[in-house]
Short mmCIF file of all heavy atoms in Angstrom, two decimals:
data_model
loop_
_atom_site.label_atom_id
_atom_site.label_comp_id
_atom_site.label_asym_id
_atom_site.label_seq_id
_atom_site.Cartn_x
_atom_site.Cartn_y
_atom_site.Cartn_z
N LYS A 275 -1.93 3.72 -8.65
CA LYS A 275 -2.49 3.65 -7.30
C LYS A 275 -3.02 5.00 -6.82
O LYS A 275 -4.06 5.06 -6.17
CB LYS A 275 -1.46 3.12 -6.32
CG LYS A 275 -0.15 3.88 -6.33
CD LYS A 275 0.90 3.20 -5.49
CE LYS A 275 2.26 3.86 -5.70
NZ LYS A 275 2.83 3.55 -7.01
N ALA A 276 -2.29 6.08 -7.12
CA ALA A 276 -2.71 7.40 -6.64
C ALA A 276 -4.06 7.79 -7.22
O ALA A 276 -4.95 8.28 -6.51
CB ALA A 276 -1.65 8.44 -7.01
N ALA A 279 -6.89 5.49 -5.80
CA ALA A 279 -7.21 5.82 -4.41
C ALA A 279 -8.03 7.09 -4.32
O ALA A 279 -8.88 7.23 -3.44
CB ALA A 279 -5.93 5.95 -3.59
N GLY A 326 -0.32 -5.30 6.10
CA GLY A 326 0.76 -5.60 5.19
C GLY A 326 1.87 -4.59 5.06
O GLY A 326 1.75 -3.42 5.46
N VAL A 328 3.58 -2.83 2.15
CA VAL A 328 3.23 -2.60 0.76
C VAL A 328 4.15 -1.59 0.07
O VAL A 328 3.84 -1.11 -1.02
CB VAL A 328 1.75 -2.15 0.62
CG1 VAL A 328 0.81 -3.26 1.06
CG2 VAL A 328 1.48 -0.87 1.41
N ASN A 329 5.28 -1.30 0.69
CA ASN A 329 6.25 -0.40 0.09
C ASN A 329 7.65 -0.97 0.29
O ASN A 329 8.12 -1.10 1.42
CB ASN A 329 6.15 1.00 0.69
CG ASN A 329 7.10 1.99 0.02
OD1 ASN A 329 8.28 2.04 0.34
ND2 ASN A 329 6.58 2.78 -0.92
N THR A 331 10.64 0.24 -0.59
CA THR A 331 11.67 1.19 -0.17
C THR A 331 11.73 1.29 1.35
O THR A 331 12.80 1.21 1.96
CB THR A 331 11.40 2.58 -0.77
OG1 THR A 331 11.42 2.48 -2.19
CG2 THR A 331 12.43 3.58 -0.31
N THR A 332 10.59 1.48 1.97
CA THR A 332 10.57 1.63 3.43
C THR A 332 10.96 0.33 4.12
O THR A 332 11.63 0.36 5.16
CB THR A 332 9.18 2.08 3.91
OG1 THR A 332 8.19 1.16 3.45
CG2 THR A 332 8.85 3.46 3.38
N ASN A 333 10.57 -0.80 3.55
CA ASN A 333 10.95 -2.06 4.19
C ASN A 333 12.45 -2.29 4.11
O ASN A 333 13.07 -2.79 5.05
CB ASN A 333 10.21 -3.23 3.56
CG ASN A 333 10.21 -4.45 4.49
OD1 ASN A 333 9.75 -4.37 5.62
ND2 ASN A 333 10.78 -5.55 4.02
N ILE A 335 14.75 0.08 4.09
CA ILE A 335 15.38 0.99 5.05
C ILE A 335 15.24 0.46 6.48
O ILE A 335 16.22 0.40 7.24
CB ILE A 335 14.76 2.39 4.93
CG1 ILE A 335 15.13 3.02 3.59
CG2 ILE A 335 15.24 3.30 6.08
CD1 ILE A 335 14.36 4.29 3.27
N LEU A 336 14.03 0.06 6.85
CA LEU A 336 13.81 -0.43 8.21
C LEU A 336 14.54 -1.75 8.45
O LEU A 336 15.07 -1.99 9.55
CB LEU A 336 12.31 -0.59 8.47
CG LEU A 336 11.52 0.72 8.53
CD1 LEU A 336 10.03 0.44 8.62
CD2 LEU A 336 11.97 1.58 9.71
N TYR A 346 18.52 6.12 10.54
CA TYR A 346 17.60 6.30 9.41
C TYR A 346 18.30 6.88 8.19
O TYR A 346 18.17 6.36 7.07
CB TYR A 346 16.42 7.19 9.83
CG TYR A 346 15.61 7.68 8.65
CD1 TYR A 346 14.72 6.83 8.01
CD2 TYR A 346 15.77 8.98 8.17
CE1 TYR A 346 14.01 7.26 6.91
CE2 TYR A 346 15.06 9.42 7.08
CZ TYR A 346 14.17 8.55 6.45
OH TYR A 346 13.47 8.98 5.35
N ASP A 362 13.88 11.97 -4.51
CA ASP A 362 12.98 12.54 -3.51
C ASP A 362 12.12 11.40 -2.96
O ASP A 362 11.16 10.97 -3.61
CB ASP A 362 12.08 13.62 -4.11
CG ASP A 362 11.12 14.22 -3.08
OD1 ASP A 362 11.16 13.80 -1.91
OD2 ASP A 362 10.32 15.10 -3.46
N PRO A 363 12.46 10.85 -1.79
CA PRO A 363 11.78 9.66 -1.28
C PRO A 363 10.51 9.96 -0.48
O PRO A 363 9.96 9.07 0.16
CB PRO A 363 12.84 9.04 -0.36
CG PRO A 363 13.53 10.25 0.21
CD PRO A 363 13.56 11.29 -0.90
N THR A 364 10.04 11.20 -0.52
CA THR A 364 8.94 11.62 0.35
C THR A 364 7.72 10.72 0.25
O THR A 364 7.14 10.32 1.26
CB THR A 364 8.53 13.08 0.04
OG1 THR A 364 9.67 13.93 0.21
CG2 THR A 364 7.41 13.54 0.96
N ALA A 365 7.31 10.40 -0.97
CA ALA A 365 6.10 9.59 -1.15
C ALA A 365 6.20 8.25 -0.44
O ALA A 365 5.21 7.74 0.09
CB ALA A 365 5.82 9.37 -2.64
N ASP A 366 7.40 7.70 -0.39
CA ASP A 366 7.60 6.41 0.27
C ASP A 366 7.75 6.57 1.77
O ASP A 366 6.98 5.99 2.55
CB ASP A 366 8.85 5.72 -0.30
CG ASP A 366 8.71 5.36 -1.77
OD1 ASP A 366 7.60 4.96 -2.17
OD2 ASP A 366 9.69 5.47 -2.51
N VAL A 367 8.73 7.36 2.22
CA VAL A 367 9.06 7.39 3.64
C VAL A 367 8.03 8.11 4.49
O VAL A 367 7.93 7.86 5.70
CB VAL A 367 10.46 7.99 3.87
CG1 VAL A 367 11.52 7.17 3.15
CG2 VAL A 367 10.52 9.45 3.45
N GLU A 368 7.22 8.98 3.87
CA GLU A 368 6.15 9.64 4.63
C GLU A 368 4.82 8.90 4.52
O GLU A 368 3.80 9.36 5.02
CB GLU A 368 5.98 11.09 4.16
CG GLU A 368 7.16 11.98 4.48
CD GLU A 368 7.37 12.19 5.97
OE1 GLU A 368 6.53 11.75 6.77
OE2 GLU A 368 8.40 12.78 6.34
N GLY A 369 4.83 7.76 3.85
CA GLY A 369 3.65 6.89 3.85
C GLY A 369 2.59 7.19 2.81
O GLY A 369 1.54 6.53 2.80
N PHE A 370 2.82 8.15 1.91
CA PHE A 370 1.80 8.49 0.92
C PHE A 370 1.53 7.32 -0.03
O PHE A 370 0.38 7.02 -0.37
CB PHE A 370 2.22 9.72 0.11
CG PHE A 370 2.23 10.99 0.90
CD1 PHE A 370 3.42 11.52 1.38
CD2 PHE A 370 1.04 11.67 1.17
CE1 PHE A 370 3.43 12.70 2.12
CE2 PHE A 370 1.05 12.85 1.92
CZ PHE A 370 2.25 13.36 2.39
N ASP A 371 2.58 6.67 -0.49
CA ASP A 371 2.44 5.53 -1.39
C ASP A 371 1.65 4.41 -0.72
O ASP A 371 0.69 3.87 -1.30
CB ASP A 371 3.83 5.03 -1.80
CG ASP A 371 3.78 3.78 -2.65
OD1 ASP A 371 3.61 3.90 -3.88
OD2 ASP A 371 3.92 2.67 -2.09
N ALA A 372 2.02 4.06 0.49
CA ALA A 372 1.33 2.99 1.21
C ALA A 372 -0.11 3.36 1.52
O ALA A 372 -1.01 2.51 1.51
CB ALA A 372 2.08 2.66 2.50
N ALA A 373 -0.37 4.64 1.79
CA ALA A 373 -1.74 5.08 2.10
C ALA A 373 -2.65 4.90 0.89
O ALA A 373 -3.82 4.50 1.04
CB ALA A 373 -1.74 6.53 2.56
N ALA A 374 -2.16 5.22 -0.30
CA ALA A 374 -2.97 5.02 -1.51
C ALA A 374 -3.31 3.55 -1.67
O ALA A 374 -4.45 3.18 -2.00
CB ALA A 374 -2.21 5.54 -2.73
N LYS A 375 -2.35 2.69 -1.43
CA LYS A 375 -2.59 1.25 -1.55
C LYS A 375 -3.56 0.77 -0.47
O LYS A 375 -4.41 -0.09 -0.74
CB LYS A 375 -1.26 0.51 -1.46
CG LYS A 375 -0.32 0.81 -2.62
CD LYS A 375 1.07 0.26 -2.40
CE LYS A 375 2.00 0.61 -3.56
NZ LYS A 375 3.39 0.16 -3.32
N ALA A 376 -3.45 1.33 0.72
CA ALA A 376 -4.37 0.95 1.80
C ALA A 376 -5.80 1.33 1.45
O ALA A 376 -6.74 0.57 1.74
CB ALA A 376 -3.96 1.62 3.11
N ALA A 377 -5.99 2.48 0.83
CA ALA A 377 -7.34 2.90 0.44
C ALA A 377 -7.94 1.91 -0.55
O ALA A 377 -9.11 1.53 -0.45
CB ALA A 377 -7.29 4.29 -0.17
N LEU A 390 -8.40 8.10 -0.37
CA LEU A 390 -7.09 8.39 0.21
C LEU A 390 -7.21 9.29 1.44
O LEU A 390 -6.49 9.10 2.44
CB LEU A 390 -6.21 9.07 -0.85
CG LEU A 390 -4.78 9.43 -0.45
CD1 LEU A 390 -4.02 8.20 0.02
CD2 LEU A 390 -4.06 10.09 -1.61
N VAL A 393 -7.62 7.65 4.92
CA VAL A 393 -6.55 6.83 5.48
C VAL A 393 -5.66 7.67 6.40
O VAL A 393 -5.09 8.68 5.98
CB VAL A 393 -5.69 6.21 4.36
CG1 VAL A 393 -4.59 5.33 4.95
CG2 VAL A 393 -6.57 5.39 3.41
N TYR A 394 -5.52 7.26 7.65
CA TYR A 394 -4.57 7.91 8.56
C TYR A 394 -3.16 7.56 8.09
O TYR A 394 -2.86 6.40 7.78
CB TYR A 394 -4.79 7.42 9.99
CG TYR A 394 -3.73 7.90 10.95
CD1 TYR A 394 -3.81 9.16 11.52
CD2 TYR A 394 -2.63 7.09 11.26
CE1 TYR A 394 -2.83 9.60 12.40
CE2 TYR A 394 -1.65 7.54 12.14
CZ TYR A 394 -1.75 8.79 12.70
OH TYR A 394 -0.78 9.24 13.56
N ARG A 395 -2.29 8.56 8.06
CA ARG A 395 -0.94 8.35 7.53
C ARG A 395 0.11 8.95 8.46
O ARG A 395 -0.01 10.08 8.90
CB ARG A 395 -0.82 8.99 6.14
CG ARG A 395 0.56 8.88 5.51
CD ARG A 395 0.70 9.85 4.36
NE ARG A 395 0.39 11.22 4.74
CZ ARG A 395 1.21 12.03 5.39
NH1 ARG A 395 2.41 11.59 5.76
NH2 ARG A 395 0.85 13.26 5.71
N GLU A 396 1.11 8.16 8.74
CA GLU A 396 2.22 8.61 9.58
C GLU A 396 3.51 8.04 8.97
O GLU A 396 3.61 6.83 8.74
CB GLU A 396 2.02 8.10 11.01
CG GLU A 396 3.03 8.56 12.02
CD GLU A 396 2.74 7.98 13.39
OE1 GLU A 396 1.56 7.99 13.80
OE2 GLU A 396 3.69 7.50 14.03
N GLY A 397 4.48 8.89 8.69
CA GLY A 397 5.72 8.45 8.08
C GLY A 397 6.66 7.78 9.06
O GLY A 397 6.37 7.63 10.25
N MET A 398 7.84 7.38 8.55
CA MET A 398 8.79 6.62 9.36
C MET A 398 10.11 7.35 9.57
O MET A 398 11.08 6.77 10.06
CB MET A 398 9.09 5.28 8.67
CG MET A 398 9.43 5.42 7.20
SD MET A 398 10.23 3.98 6.50
CE MET A 398 11.93 4.31 6.96
N THR A 399 10.14 8.64 9.24
CA THR A 399 11.41 9.38 9.33
C THR A 399 11.88 9.59 10.76
O THR A 399 13.06 9.89 10.98
CB THR A 399 11.29 10.74 8.63
OG1 THR A 399 10.21 11.49 9.22
CG2 THR A 399 10.99 10.57 7.14
N GLU A 400 11.00 9.44 11.74
CA GLU A 400 11.38 9.64 13.14
C GLU A 400 11.79 8.35 13.84
O GLU A 400 12.15 8.37 15.02
CB GLU A 400 10.22 10.29 13.91
CG GLU A 400 9.78 11.65 13.37
CD GLU A 400 10.90 12.67 13.37
OE1 GLU A 400 11.65 12.72 14.38
OE2 GLU A 400 11.05 13.39 12.36
N LEU A 418 6.85 -0.53 8.55
CA LEU A 418 5.83 0.44 8.16
C LEU A 418 4.66 -0.37 7.61
O LEU A 418 4.79 -1.03 6.57
CB LEU A 418 6.35 1.41 7.10
CG LEU A 418 5.34 2.51 6.73
CD1 LEU A 418 5.25 3.55 7.82
CD2 LEU A 418 5.70 3.17 5.40
N LEU A 419 3.53 -0.33 8.31
CA LEU A 419 2.41 -1.21 7.98
C LEU A 419 1.22 -0.44 7.42
O LEU A 419 0.93 0.68 7.85
CB LEU A 419 1.95 -1.96 9.23
CG LEU A 419 2.98 -2.91 9.87
CD1 LEU A 419 2.38 -3.52 11.13
CD2 LEU A 419 3.42 -3.99 8.90
N ALA A 420 0.56 -1.06 6.47
CA ALA A 420 -0.76 -0.62 6.03
C ALA A 420 -1.75 -1.55 6.71
O ALA A 420 -1.66 -2.78 6.57
CB ALA A 420 -0.89 -0.71 4.52
N ILE A 421 -2.69 -0.99 7.46
CA ILE A 421 -3.63 -1.79 8.26
C ILE A 421 -5.06 -1.37 7.93
O ILE A 421 -5.43 -0.21 8.11
CB ILE A 421 -3.37 -1.62 9.76
CG1 ILE A 421 -1.90 -1.93 10.08
CG2 ILE A 421 -4.30 -2.51 10.58
CD1 ILE A 421 -1.48 -1.57 11.48
N ALA A 433 -8.68 2.51 8.16
CA ALA A 433 -7.54 2.29 7.28
C ALA A 433 -6.43 3.23 7.73
O ALA A 433 -6.66 4.43 7.91
CB ALA A 433 -7.92 2.55 5.83
N ARG A 434 -5.24 2.70 7.92
CA ARG A 434 -4.15 3.52 8.45
C ARG A 434 -2.80 2.99 7.99
O ARG A 434 -2.66 1.80 7.65
CB ARG A 434 -4.20 3.53 9.98
CG ARG A 434 -4.30 2.15 10.61
CD ARG A 434 -4.76 2.21 12.07
NE ARG A 434 -5.18 0.93 12.58
CZ ARG A 434 -4.46 0.14 13.38
NH1 ARG A 434 -3.25 0.53 13.76
NH2 ARG A 434 -4.93 -1.00 13.81
N VAL A 435 -1.83 3.89 7.97
CA VAL A 435 -0.44 3.56 7.64
C VAL A 435 0.45 4.22 8.66
O VAL A 435 0.36 5.43 8.89
CB VAL A 435 -0.08 4.05 6.22
CG1 VAL A 435 1.42 3.97 5.99
CG2 VAL A 435 -0.82 3.25 5.17
N HIS A 436 1.32 3.46 9.30
CA HIS A 436 2.25 4.01 10.29
C HIS A 436 3.29 2.96 10.66
O HIS A 436 3.09 1.76 10.42
CB HIS A 436 1.51 4.47 11.55
CG HIS A 436 0.64 3.41 12.16
ND1 HIS A 436 1.15 2.31 12.82
CD2 HIS A 436 -0.72 3.27 12.20
CE1 HIS A 436 0.14 1.55 13.26
NE2 HIS A 436 -0.99 2.11 12.89
N PRO A 437 4.42 3.39 11.24
CA PRO A 437 5.38 2.41 11.76
C PRO A 437 4.79 1.70 12.96
O PRO A 437 4.02 2.30 13.72
CB PRO A 437 6.60 3.25 12.17
CG PRO A 437 6.33 4.63 11.67
CD PRO A 437 4.86 4.77 11.48
#
Side-chain angles (χ1 to χ4, degrees):
K275 55 188 171 288
V328 295
N329 183 279
T331 299
T332 56
N333 199 58
I335 293 169
L336 292 173
Y346 167 77
D362 179 0
T364 302
D366 295 322
V367 300
E368 293 294 353
F370 291 101
D371 175 84
K375 295 170 181 176
L390 181 57
V393 181
Y394 172 83
R395 178 196 55 79
E396 184 180 316
M398 49 163 276
T399 58
E400 300 301 318
L418 184 75
L419 298 177
I421 306 170
R434 50 197 166 102
V435 168
H436 54 72

